[in-house]
Amino acid sequence: MVKFPALIVPENDGIGGRQIAFFAAFILPIYKLLELPSILSRFAGGDLLLPALLQYLFQTGILLALLFVVSRLDKPLLEYLEEKLGKWTAIIYALYVLYFLFAAALPLLDLDKFVYAVFYDTSPTFFSFIFFFLVSAYVCARGIKTLGRIADLSVFLFLLPFTALIVMSLVEADASNLLPIFQYRFEHTVSAFTYTAPHFSDAIMLLPLLGNLHYKKGDSKKIALGYGLGGVLTLLFLGVFYGVYSTIAAREHYAFAKIAQYFPALTVIGRIDLLLVYLLCIVLFVYVATPLHYATDLTTRVCGGKRRVWFAAAFNLAALLFTLFCNQHYNAIYALFGQYLFPVFWVLADLFPLALLLLILKKRKKENKVRA
């Protein structure tokens, strides 16, 4: 039987409810501001807000269920699983190591294309993108507290440039581009909903953080409000982006780098909006590194808390090789995920965690009856 350490993440070295709320509000949305606007525009046109709203409602329901369970436990969720499920926990962890590596594929490819297209005027060398993996490996080698500290910083790294870009974009945005509402058939909304499943697996992206949380009164409200704020900011961005680009929005990739480029003052003072984009890129780097961090963390727990640095290096090396050899098949991989592999996200990111939650609640009720 696999023996887990009694407590890998001490209470004073873990993550707090406020930090998870900031992560949900200011780090989770960043990936949705990259390729998602053009994808939703391609499928749903001016109705792009509808599938996004449905995705957020779906993920909010799952997150509220997670928060309900976490609030009923007297110890962190992962510690409770290790104690009650024993060797089965190692199997679950191994499954989700594979899932997080799988889920990292599209963000890695998107980041690769984005960095090369936006920041390099000439064809970049192979070593230009290695810097990200060095930073990612460092983040992965650190504990969960590192993500908490970054979440605190994200308030400024995300909110200030995001607000500035939106204000600059409003000058050219036309709200009538979103009208009439429901101009497309509902099947277009369904297609957009399924194709963008990889972009909206938010609850599972918060689950490892919730699993290390020493729950305190009011944490559920903070986290739920944080996620709601992230959803509002994302929907606002989508609406403004389509208001600027209208029917050509589907052809405009890397949305947050382009949304403010028609701000009139830029013709005089230059592309100062890119300074804001650089700040958002820091948050984007953190988001892309997060699945690799989770894979490292779960593997380390299975192995008794040892060799974390080696696992971090191995996963990031694998991610680098994947990006290097698969970036030429970007369109094919995107189509594969969006058209055929979206059920993987529904099952492993949504349905299986909910089933596990039901099992935990059942065990908890039995324990309470025995004590009574």
Side-chain angles (χ1 to χ4, degrees), residues 54-253:
L54 292 176
Q55 292 277 21
Y56 267 113
L57 292 176
F58 181 51
Q59 291 298 316
T60 298
I62 298 173
L63 177 60
L64 292 177
L66 288 172
L67 291 172
F68 177 78
V69 173
V70 170
S71 67
R72 294 298 185 272
L73 301 178
D74 55 2
K75 61 183 66 177
L77 176 61
L78 294 184
E79 186 182 348
Y80 185 85
L81 286 176
E82 293 164 6
E83 179 182 309
K84 300 301 179 182
L85 300 184
K87 64 180 181 181
W88 292 106
T89 312
I91 297 174
I92 294 172
Y93 284 177
L95 176 65
Y96 277 93
V97 167
L98 295 176
Y99 168 80
F100 283 121
L101 294 176
F102 171 78
L106 291 187
L108 283 168
L109 294 177
D110 278 330
L111 179 64
D112 177 55
K113 292 290 185 182
F114 171 71
V115 169
Y116 288 168
V118 174
F119 298 124
Y120 294 99
D121 295 327
T122 59
S123 179
T125 65
F126 161 73
F127 296 99
S128 302
F129 197 51
I130 288 183
F131 174 75
F132 162 74
F133 291 98
L134 294 177
V135 174
S136 175
Y138 174 79
V139 171
C140 292
R142 308 292 292 179
I144 203 73
K145 189 175 183 179
T146 300
L147 291 182
R149 288 173 173 171
I150 295 174
D152 285 330
L153 294 175
S154 70
V155 178
F156 307 100
L157 292 174
F158 177 87
L159 198 56
L160 294 180
F162 176 88
T163 302
L165 289 174
I166 289 296
V167 171
M168 293 166 67
S169 305
L170 288 175
V171 177
E172 296 296 325
D174 184 356
S176 65
N177 289 335
L178 295 168
L179 301 174
I181 303 175
F182 306 121
Q183 56 185 295
Y184 285 77
R185 290 179 297 179
F186 188 70
E187 64 187 61
H188 291 273
T189 297
V190 174
S191 296
F193 183 87
T194 58
Y195 198 93
T196 57
H199 297 80
F200 282 98
S201 297
D202 293 339
I204 195 66
M205 286 289 285
L206 293 175
L207 182 55
L209 302 181
L210 293 173
N212 286 281
L213 174 67
H214 291 263
Y215 186 86
K216 296 179 182 178
K217 185 177 179 180
D219 282 345
S220 292
K221 184 182 296 185
K222 293 176 185 176
I223 297 168
L225 289 175
Y227 186 67
L229 175 59
V232 170
L233 295 178
T234 302
L235 294 173
L236 172 64
F237 183 92
L238 291 173
V240 173
F241 181 79
Y242 198 85
V244 172
Y245 286 101
S246 187
T247 55
I248 66 170
R251 301 199 300 267
E252 298 298 328
H253 304 283

Side-chain angles (χ1 to χ4, degrees), residues 105-106 109 322 326-327 329-338 341:
L106 291 187
L109 294 177
F322 167 81
C326 295
N327 58 7
H329 307 288
Y330 176 84
N331 292 332
I333 293 174
Y334 235 99
L336 178 65
F337 273 68
L341 297 181

Side-chain angles (χ1 to χ4, degrees), residues 355-367:
L356 193 60
L357 290 176
L358 293 176
L359 177 62
I360 292 174
L361 288 177
K362 187 176 181 180
K363 282 182 171 288
R364 189 67 175 169
K365 287 181 180 180
K366 288 183 178 180
E367 291 173 355

Side-chain angles (χ1 to χ4, degrees), residues 238-276:
L238 291 173
V240 173
F241 181 79
Y242 198 85
V244 172
Y245 286 101
S246 187
T247 55
I248 66 170
R251 301 199 300 267
E252 298 298 328
H253 304 283
Y254 322 124
F256 72 75
K258 294 184 176 181
I259 190 172
Q261 68 179 356
Y262 295 120
F263 183 58
L266 296 184
T267 58
V268 178
I269 59 179
R271 292 293 306 275
I272 61 169
D273 60 309
L274 288 179
L275 297 177
L276 305 174

